[in-house]
Amino acid sequence: MTRILGISALYHDSAAALVEDGLIIAAAQEERFSRKKHDPSFPVQSIQYCLDTAGCQLTDLDHIVFYDKPLLKFERLLETYMASAPRGFASFVRAMPIWLKEKLYLKSLLRRELSQMSGVSKAELPKLLFAEHHQSHAASAFFPSPFEKAAVLCLDGVGEWATSSAWLGEGNDLQPLWEIRFPHSLGLLYSAFTYYCGFKVNSGEYKLMGLAPYGEPKYADLIRKHLIDIKADGSFRLDLSYFSYVTGSTMTSSKFHQLFGGEPRSEESDVSQKEMDLARSIQVVTEEVVIKLAQSLKAETGCENICLAGGVALNCVANGKLLEAGVFNDIWIQPAAGDAGGALGAAMSGVYQHCGQPRELNGTDLQKGSYLGPEYSDDDVDKILQQRGLPAELLDDGRLMQKVAGELASDRVIGWFQGRMEFGPRALGNRSILGDPRSQQMQSVMNLKIKYRESFRPFAPSVLAENVSDYFNMDCASPYMLLVADVAKQHHLPEGDDMPAFGIERLKYQRSTLPAITHVDYSARVQTVHQETNPKYHQLISAFAEQSGVPMVINTSFNVRGEPPVCSPDDAIDCFLSTEMDTLVLGHWRLDKADMPAEAIATAKQREFELD
């Protein structure tokens, strides 16, 4: 047996993943255990979880693989500063201490951390290997995919040098084709607009994507004319005079601000039509680059399938446009496409590229629905409920599904905690907050009273896979909620003469028979639910369909703004008690908010998280 641990850490979204003979045994982000969103620290708890799940010790591993090469990253840092000097000196001075103290000696740091957490000497530790950042992304996309051969496209902010890269995967082999290097980066271009529109870089990009449908692409030509030169093959170069991320501490320069008529929006201030139009404009440009790169890759490789990874691959609107363009027959996207997924890619790279293990396919992907995190039994939950003195009822599957389906149909909001936690940023029905997609009020209620987040944010539908084409312009699986499609025309409602063409006011108008999951441009971020990968979630939605006639529910991650998605029953109980959620289901246990002690609710409401 070949057993390999992959680690990503020390930038953002630290994680660990363990693979045995090519099978993914466990994977989790450190933030889920530490309760610190995007936690960059060494993932002690994630590693321990992976080892416990595999029933092994560190010394039982064949290799440990880190997801990037720090010396190459340091080389990029030095060359960038030298090329820009004396500009960026202040930033250079700020960056050096952490490099000289820790990151330059990363191998020693990793071995020290691993030795401390396991209690074994450094000499006893397994061999430590390093994969390149984009190699880890590419491996995370191709090796778990269902394809024997595929083109692989990785797009992110930056790794060591690469910001975009293309690969050819076949069998257990993964060969690099080309790359676009820092500072020319599609991910950083998108992040520059995230920053300028007043959202946090590395966490607010999905807010910008959600804001785009409210706007017009009126700045798209300006972006193409001044910021990015897009070639016919999709390759691009940025005009760096508009950006400050190369040597400064912000993303955009004064020249950028002059071009778009003002300083960046302040965080938490009102979002204006300008930000909506900017969001739409950069979204259009991003989609153009992604599709052109994919077309070039298709021509270069002749492959029928493509795999995607890197933070830009979480842009499910661009993914949907790529699918719609029909460049490739099929697409597979790593659910943990950001840096957390680098841990899985590093482990996979170790298995196939370092150890040369044959890759066996069985017609489906190897991601196991991305249900790769911790799980808790009914007995575990019972002990926690008793410790906390919370009343609950234990129901068998049949009674539980009927009762919860009825509550959903009655406009109650459900916290749904089942099985293994998801790996990746999306809730896929095991750590989810659920609601009725037919409800006109549900989007507002869930945004403002449950999630405590911006009112413009849309919610996604989880639909039975067998019914997806009945409700959306989609005829393929989307199990990881990484594809956007339009709500099918037959579910649209007539637009009144007074409905505005753009802007936040469109939120006030019901646009379809499924208002809670229909974005203002009639799009939806679709998750198809499959009996094979999540039978309990499939059963619940089926029970809801029997009562409502609609085979879907609203699905949003089980957390409030600034909080990582819940991991344990205790996390779920705290979130349930601190919000206006009506019901909590933990395995077969059901808790009703009306029965909860006032003191427990008051204590839970004292929780605070830094806003993202």
Side-chain angles (χ1 to χ4, degrees):
M1 175 187 292
T2 303
R3 189 183 272 155
I4 295 182
L5 178 74
I7 297 173
S8 63
L10 307 177
Y11 184 47
H12 58 79
D13 297 302
S14 293
L18 197 148
V19 178
E20 285 181 356
D21 286 340
L23 297 177
I24 306 170
I25 303 302
Q29 296 110 299
E30 189 69 3
E31 65 165 20
R32 306 298 165 90
F33 303 97
S34 68
R35 313 307 300 152
K36 180 181 177 185
K37 201 160 189 178
H38 305 301
D39 192 344
S41 61
F42 184 76
V44 173
Q45 296 180 83
S46 302
I47 293 172
Q48 192 59 57
Y49 155 70
C50 288
L51 295 173
D52 292 344
T53 303
C56 69
Q57 307 294 319
L58 265 182
T59 48
D60 297 324
L61 300 173
D62 294 279
H63 301 290
I64 299 172
V65 188
F66 193 70
Y67 83 126
D68 71 11
K69 294 187 174 180
L71 288 180
L72 283 178
K73 195 175 280 187
F74 188 67
E75 174 190 279
R76 185 249 299 168
L77 202 68
L78 280 183
E79 286 196 20
T80 301
Y81 282 128
M82 289 175 66
S84 308
R87 287 187 300 116
F89 181 72
S91 173
F92 177 79
V93 169
R94 280 196 301 273
M96 279 307 102
I98 186 71
W99 275 97
L100 295 175
K101 184 180 177 184
E102 290 186 350
K103 292 187 178 180
L104 264 183
Y105 310 100
L106 187 66
K107 189 170 185 178
S108 298
L109 184 150
L110 294 175
R111 294 182 69 80
R112 185 178 71 237
E113 293 280 0
L114 291 164
S115 176
Q116 286 177 355
M117 71 166 286
S118 62
V120 302
S121 69
K122 294 177 185 175
E124 296 175 281
L125 290 172
K127 187 175 181 181
L128 189 57
L129 307 173
F130 293 83
E132 289 193 21
H133 189 94
H134 270 235
Q135 180 186 11
S136 296
H137 277 319
S140 78
F142 175 64
F143 290 129
S145 80
F147 308 137
E148 168 63 22
K149 181 178 181 181
V152 183
L153 183 60
C154 302
L155 302 166
D156 69 357
V158 62
E160 294 88 359
W161 278 103
T163 66
S164 309
S165 65
W167 305 70
L168 178 62
E170 185 167 11
N172 69 349
D173 190 34
L174 188 60
Q175 291 296 324
L177 298 176
W178 50 258
E179 66 179 33
I180 297 172
R181 289 190 150 206
F182 183 86
H184 304 286
S185 165
L186 185 63
L188 291 176
L189 174 66
Y190 201 89
S191 291
F193 280 88
T194 301
Y195 165 81
Y196 186 70
C197 289
F199 304 115
K200 288 186 177 174
V201 172
N202 289 332
S203 69
E205 281 76 5
Y206 58 97
K207 296 183 185 181
L208 197 68
M209 183 180 68
L211 192 63
Y214 295 97
E216 293 181 89
K218 58 173 54 174
Y219 298 105
D221 286 341
L222 204 61
I223 294 171
R224 294 188 192 98
K225 182 177 180 182
H226 293 278
L227 301 188
I228 182 169
D229 178 18
I230 306 170
K231 306 297 184 188
D233 63 359
S235 61
F236 55 86
R237 289 185 67 81
L238 303 183
D239 183 337
L240 298 172
S241 65
Y242 289 93
F243 304 93
S244 294
Y245 61 77
V246 175
T247 55
S249 55
T250 61
M251 295 298 296
T252 53
S253 71
S254 57
K255 194 173 176 182
F256 187 106
H257 307 163
Q258 288 169 11
L259 183 66
F260 294 107
E263 294 297 307
R265 167 183 165 260
S266 301
E267 289 184 14
E268 306 307 316
S269 62
D270 290 339
V271 175
S272 70
Q273 189 61 45
K274 176 184 173 184
E275 283 81 37
M276 299 176 202
D277 293 337
L278 284 167
R280 178 67 181 277
S281 302
I282 189 60
Q283 180 64 36
V284 166
V285 172
T286 300
E287 291 163 10
E288 179 184 338
V289 174
V290 169
I291 290 173
K292 283 186 173 179
L293 286 173
Q295 288 170 332
S296 298
L297 201 48
K298 170 71 176 181
E300 184 176 357
T301 65
C303 289
E304 295 183 348
N305 306 309
I306 187 170
C307 301
L308 303 177
V312 179
L314 293 173
N315 191 314
C316 47
V317 181
N319 298 341
K321 295 291 184 185
L322 178 58
L323 179 70
E324 188 179 296
V327 181
F328 289 88
N329 292 348
D330 205 353
I331 297 174
W332 195 86
I333 307 156
Q334 166 55 237
D339 279 7
L344 177 60
M348 286 286 195
S349 177
V351 171
Y352 296 113
Q353 295 186 282
H354 182 77
C355 297
Q357 183 168 316
R359 179 167 168 259
E360 297 178 1
L361 298 175
N362 61 10
T364 62
D365 71 39
L366 302 178
Q367 192 78 15
K368 298 180 177 176
S370 220
Y371 305 113
L372 301 168
E375 64 180 335
Y376 300 84
S377 68
D378 285 336
D379 286 344
D380 294 332
V381 174
D382 187 22
K383 290 174 187 170
I384 292 168
L385 293 173
Q386 289 187 41
Q387 288 168 1
R388 300 182 62 144
L390 299 177
E393 60 178 340
L394 186 63
L395 301 170
D396 61 32
D397 266 347
R399 291 171 61 208
L400 180 69
M401 298 304 169
Q402 288 304 314
K403 188 154 192 169
V404 175
E407 291 184 318
L408 283 167
S410 302
D411 252 7
R412 286 172 68 94
V413 178
I414 312 295
W416 184 251
F417 182 104
Q418 301 288 342
R420 298 186 72 176
M421 182 181 70
E422 299 89 343
F423 180 53
R426 307 292 182 224
L428 301 172
N430 278 8
R431 301 290 188 276
S432 293
I433 298 173
L434 310 179
D436 186 345
R438 301 170 304 165
S439 170
Q440 175 67 15
Q441 299 78 31
M442 191 55 72
Q443 187 201 22
S444 172
V445 169
M446 292 181 82
N447 267 332
L448 301 179
K449 294 186 177 180
I450 308 292
K451 303 280 287 186
Y452 303 130
R453 69 184 197 182
E454 300 89 342
S455 61
F456 67 82
R457 306 272 297 279
F459 285 106
S462 291
V463 59
L464 297 183
E466 51 270 37
N467 296 115
V468 65
S469 299
D470 299 332
Y471 289 88
F472 303 98
N473 294 337
M474 174 180 277
D475 57 3
C476 64
S478 177
Y480 303 119
M481 205 188 280
L482 286 168
L483 294 170
V484 161
D486 285 345
V487 173
K489 197 79 175 177
Q490 62 265 33
H491 299 288
H492 291 197
L493 295 177
E495 290 190 5
D497 294 337
D498 58 340
M499 186 191 286
F502 298 99
I504 204 78
E505 289 297 309
R506 283 179 66 84
L507 259 183
K508 298 176 181 175
Y509 295 81
Q510 184 170 343
R511 299 165 297 280
S512 82
T513 57
L514 304 162
I517 56 89
T518 306
H519 208 350
V520 293
D521 61 350
Y522 297 94
S523 68
R525 183 159 44 93
V526 178
Q527 180 200 2
T528 53
V529 179
H530 302 254
Q531 169 77 27
E532 302 77 21
T533 50
N534 198 334
K536 184 160 280 190
Y537 196 33
H538 191 278
Q539 189 181 356
L540 173 65
I541 299 174
S542 298
F544 178 70
E546 288 175 8
Q547 297 192 29
S548 69
V550 176
M552 78 178 76
V553 296
I554 301 171
N555 175 13
T556 186
S557 57
F558 198 150
N559 61 342
V560 298
R561 185 180 174 192
E563 177 188 20
V566 301
C567 176
S568 70
D570 270 317
D571 302 333
I573 291 169
D574 288 338
C575 188
F576 166 64
L577 292 175
S578 66
T579 68
E580 304 304 311
M581 230 179 291
D582 300 299
T583 298
L584 172 61
V585 179
L586 299 164
H588 289 91
W589 289 98
R590 177 187 168 279
L591 288 74
D592 193 312
K593 179 60 71 59
D595 300 331
M596 295 300 108
E599 186 178 351
I601 293 174
T603 301
K605 284 182 178 294
Q606 293 175 8
R607 302 185 321 152
E608 289 186 358
F609 295 95
E610 182 181 350
L611 295 180
D612 61 4

